[in-house]
């Protein structure tokens, strides 16, 4: 009888161990994260990624794992792969470490936005860079690429005859980059196309003040002055 009882105890214990082995214990996520971190610190970002992914699968609230997963993709210049985990890392990050997550997310958004701009995906570029701007509205690091994307977007809209949308784009550029004379030239052209010659003339004057030797600004101003004199 004692032998049977001992056998039953062994079976129960072994069964418990097997069950525990199948559980996603917190230590498992930490082990996966540390393995990934070791590879990350050696510059082996590709090899680190599966470990960080595993850590987030085991513990979906593991903010640091998402952060380093995003950083790994970022270091490999995989902007789209970096964005989702970095957004999650930002959401999960405590107040004391949020600034780190914010800056890395901004870097990824700028990279993704610039890549989209290079491919001619203007609306996507503007959307990504606007997201970065909402995170750091005073950052010159963000303002410059966003202004550039909006300038190109406004130019495209104007060429498509979408004058009112172009006006909005150029006006936003003048707010982000008040010394960008091309924004005022574009604004003058789009206002003229919208039928608002008086405001167009004012925009052309602003362009000339910023770039008095610009042939483009001079020609727009001359045209508008001629129209006003009629």
């Amino acid at each position: 009888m004692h032998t049977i009882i001992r056998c039953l105890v062994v079976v129960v214990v072994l069964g418990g161990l097997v069950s525990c082995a199948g559980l996603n214990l917190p230590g498992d996520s930490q082990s996966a994260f540390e393995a990934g971190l070791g590879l990350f610190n050696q510059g082996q970002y590709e090899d680190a990624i599966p470990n960080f992914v595993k850590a987030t699968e085991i513990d979906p609230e593991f903010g640091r794992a998402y952060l380093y997963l995003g950083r790994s993709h970022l270091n490999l210049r995989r902007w789209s792969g970096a964005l989702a985990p970095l957004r999650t890392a930002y959401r999960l990050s405590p107040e004391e470490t949020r600034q780190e997550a914010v800056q890395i997310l901004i870097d990824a958004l700028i990279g993704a936005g610039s890549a989209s701009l290079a491919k001619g995906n203007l609306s996507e570029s503007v959307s990504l860079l606007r997201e970065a701007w909402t995170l750091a509205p005073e950052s010159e690091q963000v303002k410059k690429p966003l202004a550039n994307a909006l300038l190109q977007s406004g130019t495209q809209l104007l060429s498509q005859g979408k004058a009112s949308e172009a006006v909005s784009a150029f006006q936003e550029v003048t707010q982000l980059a008040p010394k960008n004379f091309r924004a005022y030239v574009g604004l003058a052209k789009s206002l003229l196309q919208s039928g608002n010659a008086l405001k167009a003339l004012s925009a052309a004057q602003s362009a000339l003040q910023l770039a008095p030797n610009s042939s483009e600004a001079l020609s727009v101003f001359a045209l508008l002055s001629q129209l006003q004199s009629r």
Side-chain angles (χ1 to χ4, degrees):
M1 177 63 71
H2 291 296
T3 301
I4 293 173
I5 292 173
R6 281 198 297 271
C7 289
L8 288 172
V9 170
V10 169
V11 169
V12 170
V13 170
L14 287 174
L17 290 173
V18 170
S19 298
C20 289
L23 292 175
N24 291 329
L25 299 176
D28 293 334
S29 62
Q30 186 64 36
S31 297
F33 173 74
E34 289 175 0
L37 188 60
L39 292 165
F40 179 92
N41 289 334
Q42 294 172 30
Q44 300 178 39
Y45 308 119
E46 191 74 66
D47 294 331
I49 287 172
N51 292 282
F52 295 134
V53 170
K54 181 181 178 182
T56 61
E57 288 173 345
I58 295 171
D59 182 3
E61 301 296 309
F62 199 158
R64 297 293 288 176
Y66 285 107
L67 181 67
Y68 276 88
L69 175 58
R71 288 185 66 184
S72 297
H73 283 292
L74 188 61
N75 288 341
L76 292 167
R77 301 180 69 82
R78 295 176 184 164
W79 315 116
S80 58
L83 290 177
L86 288 175
R87 285 173 177 139
T88 303
Y90 170 65
R91 178 176 59 81
L92 293 174
S93 60
E95 193 64 37
E96 59 270 19
T97 62
R98 180 157 294 180
Q99 190 55 43
E100 178 189 11
V102 167
Q103 187 54 57
I104 296 171
L105 177 55
I106 287 171
D107 290 342
L109 287 165
I110 291 174
S114 300
S116 294
L117 186 63
K119 294 176 183 177
N121 299 330
L122 298 182
S123 59
E124 180 179 277
S125 176
V126 169
S127 177
L128 290 165
L129 292 167
R130 273 209 181 107
E131 183 181 347
W133 184 56
T134 61
L135 295 171
E138 300 303 319
S139 171
E140 293 300 323
Q141 178 194 9
V142 178
K143 284 182 180 180
K144 186 175 180 179
L146 176 56
N148 184 38
L150 284 165
L151 188 64
Q152 292 191 42
S153 178
T155 302
Q156 184 183 77
L157 290 166
L158 186 60
S159 69
Q160 295 170 346
K162 300 176 181 178
S164 60
E165 293 177 52
V167 167
S168 297
F170 289 125
Q171 283 178 333
E172 194 169 351
V173 179
T174 63
Q175 293 168 5
L176 291 165
K179 294 183 179 181
N180 190 323
F181 82 92
R182 288 187 175 85
Y184 289 99
V185 170
L187 181 58
K189 289 179 178 179
S190 54
L191 284 166
L192 178 60
Q193 197 175 106
S194 298
N196 197 329
L198 189 60
K199 286 187 176 180
L201 181 60
S202 176
Q205 288 173 331
S206 296
L208 270 179
Q209 288 173 357
L210 292 168
N213 297 321
S214 166
S215 58
E216 189 178 13
L218 283 166
S219 63
V220 172
F221 181 76
L223 173 62
L224 288 165
S225 298
Q226 186 178 6
L227 290 173
Q228 284 294 103
S229 64
R230 290 179 182 176

